[in-house]
Amino acid sequence: MNHWRRLNLQIEDWVGGRGRVGKYWRRGRLIMANSVHSLVGIVFSPLISYLVIQRGSLRLWGELVAILVVVQLGAHIVGWGHKGYLVRAFSQQPAEVGRLWWENVATRGRVGVLFLLFLLWWGGEQLGLAVFWWGVGLLWYQAQDSLVVYRQRFALAAGVELTGLIGLFLLIWWWPWALTVRDLAWLWALFVCLKGVCLGWGLWEGVPRGWWRGYNGRYWRLALPFFLMGFAGMIQSRIDLYAVNYYLAAEEVAQYQILINYLLYVQALANFILQPFVKVLYRLPLPAVIKIAGWLGLAGMGLTGPALWFLQWILPRWYQFELTSGLLWWGGVYIVPIYFYLPLIYLVYKNKQEYFVIGVTASSALLNLMLNIWLTPQKGLEGALMATAIANLFMFALYAGWAWQKRDEKGIQDE
């Protein structure tokens, strides 16, 4: 009897999160929930694009992507690095989380109102209200990212995201009429607004009085580094999509968005492979990190071939989109460089040279922009992909040059 009693108490400790096993169980749950949260959108994005194309056309998906890039770009600018800034502020003042968050919402809300009015005007009579509410929902949903990270509510965020995407998928699937871009804009607005409401319901118990009067004028300066890092990365990774959206027809916009999303998924594998070893990277000398970069680069080259073969198989069947030999070649050049330079980025962080990363990303974005202005109108999809692939090679050259310059510094090699 005593034996079973002790066993039951041990199980309760494990499940309840007490003791060594409970500690590992908690960590495992957090890692799993964060992974699910990160992967939900990656899994559902190609399914939803496939469904829209099947129910409508490539042109319809391209028209929606044209709206999507404007709404997301504006929301990122209004966000102004709030996630990184607030997580740090919450950690430094844990008793003031509520006040700091609502103050930040009120501060950025001034700019947010201008952005929403712009969307109302930009969308015109047909789409104005839909993109307005789309913007409202997206601003509110993204504003809660800092709370999700600080309070480690990854399971809640993953559940809300998954439920919302399943609901959106089913709505499109069961839509009884011929889909139009106006219908899709309203469905996206409904989807993102409901996500924001559900996430807020799970994170907040009440709203403080007079929250809209809070304003922190110093925020724009203090959060600027966080904004620059995120904005430079976003522009560098999406400038080609903006150029395609500007220069090419809606059908080609749809084709490029689908292709580049799949290529980004292959690139993301580099981070998944390296992430478990980041802690070790910060302790290693430069020669060891360079060796890891070489092995990871070879792994990336090995993964690229099967990934491109899969794309050549799936795109004509799902999206009525044939890959040319040029797109395949430049797709491979686009993928591989990040596998070589990703470990070197952590070495730069180790040496507290974050602004070097911002400079590299911004320089690559500028090069990408100039090449896209030149190549996209002439060569279409292949020109856009070529420009972005060359910009990725340029990033690799800069990081490799930095590592070469530092190779003889004793402080890095012997740490």
Side-chain angles (χ1 to χ4, degrees):
M1 184 65 180
N2 290 336
H3 171 76
W4 288 108
R5 180 181 174 83
R6 286 196 299 272
L7 181 59
N8 286 334
L9 288 173
Q10 287 177 350
I11 292 174
E12 289 176 3
D13 285 346
W14 295 347
V15 175
R18 296 183 293 272
R20 181 178 297 179
V21 176
K23 178 179 68 175
Y24 295 144
W25 170 246
R26 287 198 309 275
R27 290 178 179 175
R29 283 189 305 176
L30 287 174
I31 294 170
M32 180 63 68
N34 188 34
S35 300
V36 171
H37 182 220
S38 303
L39 290 172
V40 163
I42 293 176
V43 171
F44 268 85
S45 179
L47 293 177
I48 291 177
S49 61
Y50 165 77
L51 183 60
V52 171
I53 292 168
Q54 294 301 313
R55 290 293 316 275
S57 64
L58 267 172
R59 180 179 180 83
L60 179 62
W61 180 248
E63 290 173 348
L64 184 69
V65 170
I67 300 171
L68 183 71
V69 295
V70 172
V71 175
Q72 289 186 340
L73 176 61
H76 189 91
I77 294 173
V78 175
W80 200 261
H82 72 280
K83 181 179 175 180
Y85 170 82
L86 283 178
V87 170
R88 184 180 67 181
F90 293 162
S91 301
Q92 294 171 343
Q93 304 178 63
E96 299 291 327
V97 169
R99 181 189 64 79
L100 290 169
W101 190 81
W102 284 105
E103 177 187 82
N104 186 262
V105 169
T107 300
R108 291 186 297 107
R110 271 71 167 175
V111 179
V113 169
L114 296 177
F115 168 59
L116 295 174
L117 291 175
F118 164 77
L119 289 180
L120 193 63
W121 167 81
W122 177 74
E125 184 178 348
Q126 182 185 14
L127 296 170
L129 278 176
V131 294
F132 173 86
W133 284 107
W134 188 344
V136 170
L138 187 58
L139 291 179
W140 176 249
Y141 184 67
Q142 290 184 349
Q144 297 170 89
D145 286 346
S146 56
L147 292 175
V148 171
V149 173
Y150 180 72
R151 294 179 174 172
Q152 298 182 328
R153 301 298 300 275
F154 303 117
L156 171 66
V160 169
E161 187 74 19
L162 180 60
T163 304
L165 285 168
I166 291 174
L168 179 64
F169 185 89
L170 293 176
L171 276 173
I172 297 173
W173 181 275
W174 288 330
W175 195 251
W177 307 285
L179 278 171
T180 66
V181 69
R182 185 174 183 270
D183 297 331
L184 289 173
W186 274 112
L187 288 176
W188 246 263
L190 175 65
F191 153 68
V192 75
C193 284
L194 287 177
K195 283 200 310 177
V197 170
C198 292
L199 191 58
W201 187 272
L203 288 172
W204 284 108
E205 297 178 357
V207 180
R209 292 181 178 179
W211 64 270
W212 61 87
R213 291 194 293 267
Y215 184 80
N216 180 6
R218 298 186 305 156
Y219 164 74
W220 306 104
R221 175 178 56 83
L222 295 174
L224 181 61
F226 297 102
F227 169 72
L228 290 176
M229 290 185 71
F231 187 72
M234 188 192 73
I235 291 296
Q236 194 279 331
S237 64
R238 296 187 186 179
I239 196 70
D240 51 337
L241 185 58
Y242 299 149
V244 167
N245 185 48
Y246 182 79
Y247 286 113
L248 304 182
E251 291 89 346
E252 293 176 296
V253 174
Q255 290 174 339
Y256 191 80
Q257 192 267 347
I258 292 164
L259 171 62
I260 207 69
N261 269 7
Y262 276 107
L263 296 179
L264 286 170
Y265 298 158
V266 185
Q267 279 192 339
L269 289 175
N271 193 53
F272 278 104
I273 294 170
L274 196 63
Q275 198 63 39
F277 310 104
V278 167
K279 182 178 179 180
V280 178
L281 281 177
Y282 282 114
R283 301 172 181 170
L284 293 176
L286 176 62
V289 176
I290 291 176
K291 185 179 291 187
I292 290 172
W295 283 111
L296 186 63
L298 292 176
M301 294 174 69
L303 289 169
T304 298
L308 293 177
W309 175 86
F310 174 75
L311 284 181
Q312 199 171 23
W313 178 84
I314 198 173
L315 291 182
R317 289 165 175 79
W318 277 35
Y319 305 102
Q320 296 82 52
F321 173 26
E322 295 285 346
L323 280 179
T324 65
S325 57
L327 286 174
L328 281 171
W329 164 256
W330 288 109
V333 178
Y334 175 87
I335 291 171
V336 171
I338 192 172
Y339 283 85
F340 282 100
Y341 69 70
L342 186 60
L344 302 179
I345 293 177
Y346 290 102
L347 193 64
V348 176
Y349 286 151
K350 173 184 175 181
N351 285 269
K352 300 179 181 180
Q353 294 183 347
E354 291 84 358
Y355 276 96
F356 179 76
V357 177
I358 297 175
V360 169
T361 308
S363 301
S364 175
L366 181 60
L367 176 63
N368 200 354
L369 174 63
M370 292 189 295
L371 289 174
N372 264 284
I373 292 173
W374 176 35
L375 294 172
T376 302
Q378 298 182 37
K379 297 180 177 293
L381 302 185
E382 188 175 325
L385 189 56
M386 183 191 307
T388 309
I390 292 172
N392 283 352
L393 286 173
F394 176 68
M395 288 184 71
F396 167 66
L398 291 179
Y399 283 119
W402 181 89
W404 182 266
Q405 181 184 0
K406 296 290 185 180
R407 72 193 189 282
D408 295 327
E409 292 188 9
K410 185 176 185 298
I412 294 179
Q413 294 193 28
D414 294 341
E415 283 180 359

